[in-house]
Amino acid sequence: MAISGIALIGFKVLMLMNLGPNVYAQRVEMLADGTVFEQAGAWFMQVDVVTKWTAENLTALIKTALR
C-alpha cells in the first residue's frame, strides 16, 4: 500500500512539473466535472502539500543542476 501511495505522489509530481500548476489545476477541474470515476480521479489527483513541495523543490534542483 505504501508503494502505491509513493507511486501516486511521484506521478502527480511529474505531471505537475510537466504541465505547470495552472494547466494541472484546469485538468483536475475537468475531471471533477466528469463522471463519478473521473470525479474520483480528480480527488486523487488534487495537489496536496507533499506533491506541491516535492514538485517545487525538484524543479529548483533541476534548474540549478542545468546551469
Side-chain angles (χ1 to χ4, degrees):
M1 180 122 182
I3 292 175
S4 60
I6 292 170
L8 177 62
I9 290 173
F11 178 73
K12 288 169 43 174
V13 166
L14 291 175
M15 292 296 293
L16 186 57
M17 289 173 61
N18 187 41
L19 297 174
N22 295 332
V23 174
Y24 186 89
Q26 290 173 349
R27 301 268 175 102
V28 172
E29 271 185 48
M30 288 172 52
L31 286 174
D33 291 335
T35 66
V36 173
F37 294 108
E38 291 170 330
Q39 291 172 9
W43 186 81
F44 279 107
M45 295 303 290
Q46 64 188 344
V47 177
D48 55 81
V49 175
V50 174
T51 302
K52 182 179 178 185
W53 181 87
T54 305
E56 288 172 351
N57 286 291
L58 194 54
T59 299
L61 180 68
I62 291 170
K63 285 182 180 180
T64 302
L66 295 177
R67 287 185 196 180

